[in-house]
Amino acid sequence: GESVGLHLPTLSVQEGDNSIINCAYSNSASDYFIWYKQESGKGPQFIIDIRSNMDKRQGQRVTVLLNKTVKHLSLQIAATQPGDSAVYFCAAEEEGGSEKLVFGKGTKLTVNP
Amino acid sequence: DAMVIQNPRYQVTQFGKPVTLSCSQTLNHNVMYWYQQKSSQAPKLLFHYYDKDFNNEADTPDNFQSRRPNTSFCFLDIRSPGLGDAAMYLCATSSDRGGALHFGNGTRLTVT
């Protein structure tokens, strides 16, 4: 089945810097990807999604980049703020078109003031 | 605000004592999911309902059951909790299969 992995389990940045969180997926047939933010003691919160017919999508201070050639997904956060401190998960649609999402292991982002 | 609500936020049960976690949604979504999340790990799907159609994951233990009496409510029953079942249990919804999931804030289960 699909496996989704993150390159770094932790990331520490200074307030105001840009953050980049990376993710790799295994199934070249996956066509839907989501980034979630999970703060301590809360459920995952939707940040941004992207379908495979796009290679870039922008939201408010966030950008998702998709490189289907190398099966790589990244989340860029501009001007990172202390409130961005959380665990970030990428998720990809499962192999075989079952439309279930498989989550990666998560990157813990710490923003230092 | 439309949302996914899980009760209770914290649940303590004894080893082997049945426990039920509940989830309600005001989004009127067709699909409801239950995930298990252990410390520092990704959420793991246990099962989901597409409307009334129950879909169990192959590796979900028989100890875990679910009920969905109507569109708004879904329950997770753990028949005989073991110490290894201590985790955060997350309920999520989506309007249809393949869409973004909307999560509740979870129930943290402790087994003593």
Side-chain angles (χ1 to χ4, degrees):
Chain A
E2 172 74 277
S3 68
V4 180
L6 283 162
H7 292 199
L8 285 175
T10 61
L11 177 65
S12 184
V13 301
Q14 291 297 121
E15 182 178 359
D17 287 353
N18 296 333
S19 301
I20 300 176
I21 301 173
N22 295 305
C23 182
Y25 61 95
S26 64
N27 181 15
S28 57
S30 293
D31 66 358
Y32 183 57
F33 307 88
I34 307 178
W35 281 100
Y36 284 92
K37 171 186 180 184
Q38 187 173 24
E39 297 175 273
S40 180
K42 295 185 177 180
Q45 177 187 4
F46 173 91
I47 302 173
I48 192 167
D49 59 359
I50 189 168
R51 293 207 174 266
S52 59
N53 60 351
M54 303 175 69
D55 53 21
K56 180 179 179 179
R57 192 164 187 223
Q58 288 184 291
Q60 187 178 12
R61 283 200 306 117
V62 294
T63 301
V64 55
L65 299 177
L66 176 62
N67 185 329
K68 295 180 285 294
T69 302
V70 296
K71 292 182 282 188
H72 182 270
L73 189 70
S74 68
L75 176 71
Q76 299 179 0
I77 305 173
T80 314
Q81 302 168 359
D84 296 326
S85 294
V87 178
Y88 289 81
F89 292 97
C90 64
E93 183 184 274
E94 191 178 54
E95 178 180 1
S98 65
E99 297 172 317
K100 288 182 289 189
L101 290 176
V102 175
F103 283 80
K105 292 184 178 179
T107 289
K108 183 176 182 179
L109 175 66
T110 301
V111 182
N112 301 308
Chain B
D1 289 340
M3 52 198 307
V4 181
I5 302 166
Q6 291 188 244
N7 285 305
R9 289 296 310 279
Y10 302 92
Q11 176 73 57
V12 180
T13 191
Q14 292 177 332
F15 182 93
K17 185 174 181 180
V19 65
T20 294
L21 310 182
S22 70
C23 177
S24 64
Q25 56 130 340
T26 60
L27 297 159
N28 203 33
H29 281 172
N30 282 330
V31 195
M32 294 188 78
Y33 306 80
W34 279 104
Y35 282 83
Q36 180 192 63
Q37 186 178 30
K38 295 191 175 181
S39 182
S40 303
Q41 295 185 19
K44 178 181 179 297
L45 182 63
L46 296 172
F47 24 59
H48 75 278
Y49 274 95
Y50 184 85
D51 196 11
K52 295 180 181 179
D53 181 26
F54 178 70
N55 297 270
N56 198 31
E57 292 301 294
D59 58 354
T60 297
D62 292 340
N63 200 22
F64 291 83
Q65 305 285 322
S66 186
R67 295 170 284 134
R68 189 179 185 186
N70 53 53
T71 300
S72 300
F73 286 88
C74 196
F75 300 97
L76 169 62
D77 300 309
I78 309 177
R79 290 190 299 185
S80 183
L83 298 178
D85 297 328
M88 174 78 88
Y89 290 88
L90 295 163
C91 174
T93 72
S94 64
S95 58
D96 204 344
R97 286 193 175 116
L101 303 180
H102 300 258
F103 284 89
N105 278 328
T107 293
R108 181 164 296 283
L109 178 69
T110 300
V111 182
T112 60

